[in-house]
Amino acid sequence: MSAKTYALTDTATMLRRNLRHTLRYPAMTTGSVFGPVIMLLLFVGVLGKTLGAGIAAAGGHHGGGYIDYIAPGIIITAVASGSMATAVAVCADMTEGIVDRFRTMPIARGSILTAHVINSMITTVVSTASVIAAALVLGFRPTAHLAAWAAAAGLLMLLAFALTWLAVAIGLVSGTPEAASNSPLPIIFLPFIGSAFAPAGSMPPGVRQFAEYQPFTPVIETIRGLLTGTPIGHNAVLALAWCLALGLTGYLCSRAGFRHNRAH
């Protein structure tokens, strides 16, 4: 077999191992999947009437109800939430000695991290689908046609890929799984300081500027526009640029972190 064939076979083996871990220890994954669903129920069922009226009064409502405004933001939150489980899983592998054992075996080194990324992507797809299904039950009524759904899915996958590599880098530099579980919190909470739950224009000065220029806002506005028909403007270009920049940064930091760890 060629080197590429060996690498693919090793990645598949590592992926099966990670999937078994995910199924045997589902607590972290369950939180990533159902946390955003619970958040959706809270913001729509408990706070939706008040927040929806406020957004409508500020002129940020497009008439579809608060669920149509907030659903894209919760979907992005679901994508971001997967970073915590990934960081913990990578850190556990690095600190419990299993990676040192793998390094004594004739396996492709890249397969270890690649399998974590693929496993995280699978979990994120399940989490995102759960949020979309819950939103539809609660009254979310997207107007997107098939091409818009495909574009939204592609952007969400690109964002998940970028955030997963960032989470891998965090897991590699964290000293303990507990530290790895806390370090991705800024990623998870950034959508809250964006346009996920309220328009950035309604926020106080300073916060508004941060909300307008942080990475998640153009992604949220692009997904919202694709699914509900609101104007997208230049947000699609910014969203792609942020995803590519974050993904490249995460990949390079992960590769450097893995090599640094190997040297010690």
Side-chain angles (χ1 to χ4, degrees):
M1 288 191 292
S2 67
K4 288 185 178 179
T5 304
Y6 277 119
L8 290 174
T9 303
D10 291 343
T11 300
T13 302
M14 289 295 167
L15 178 59
R16 285 197 296 273
R17 167 184 174 270
N18 290 343
L19 289 172
R20 288 196 186 99
H21 278 203
T22 300
L23 294 175
R24 290 176 182 174
Y25 307 101
M28 186 69 72
T29 304
T30 300
S32 299
V33 172
F34 292 104
V37 174
I38 294 173
M39 192 182 303
L40 181 66
L41 293 172
L42 173 65
F43 274 91
V44 174
V46 180
L47 306 173
K49 186 175 181 180
T50 302
L51 294 176
I55 292 176
H61 212 292
H62 49 79
Y66 186 57
I67 181 107
D68 281 356
Y69 182 87
I70 196 177
I74 297 290
I75 292 171
I76 298 299
T77 303
V79 174
S81 297
S83 59
M84 182 183 294
T86 304
V88 171
V90 171
C91 183
D93 272 0
M94 300 304 296
T95 56
E96 292 177 355
I98 188 63
V99 172
D100 293 333
R101 172 62 176 154
F102 288 150
R103 283 169 173 159
T104 66
M105 302 168 67
I107 63 174
R109 299 294 182 262
S111 64
I112 300 171
L113 299 185
T114 303
H116 275 295
V117 171
I118 298 174
N119 184 46
S120 178
M121 295 287 290
I122 293 172
T123 305
T124 299
V125 168
V126 174
S127 174
T128 304
S130 300
V131 170
I132 293 175
L136 291 173
V137 171
L138 291 174
F140 180 45
R141 294 296 177 263
T143 58
H145 47 71
L146 185 59
W149 272 107
L155 179 57
L156 289 173
M157 292 298 291
L158 184 61
L159 177 65
F161 185 73
L163 296 182
T164 298
W165 274 114
L166 280 180
V168 169
I170 291 172
L172 287 170
V173 300
S174 298
T176 64
E178 289 77 13
S181 68
N182 294 326
S183 298
L185 288 179
I187 297 175
I188 298 172
F189 282 104
L190 264 183
F192 289 83
I193 319 175
S195 62
F197 303 96
S202 65
M203 299 176 182
V207 179
R208 183 180 68 225
Q209 279 80 13
F210 178 81
E212 289 175 343
Y213 293 105
Q214 61 119 313
F216 283 100
T217 293
V219 181
I220 294 168
E221 291 303 320
T222 303
I223 296 296
R224 182 174 288 135
L226 289 170
L227 297 185
T228 66
T230 56
I232 294 177
H234 60 283
N235 285 301
V237 177
L238 292 176
L240 290 174
W242 271 116
C243 289
L244 293 175
L246 293 174
L248 181 61
T249 301
Y251 172 74
L252 294 177
C253 290
S254 297
R255 196 170 69 169
F258 194 72
R259 288 178 176 172
H260 176 77
N261 186 282
R262 182 172 54 185
H264 290 76

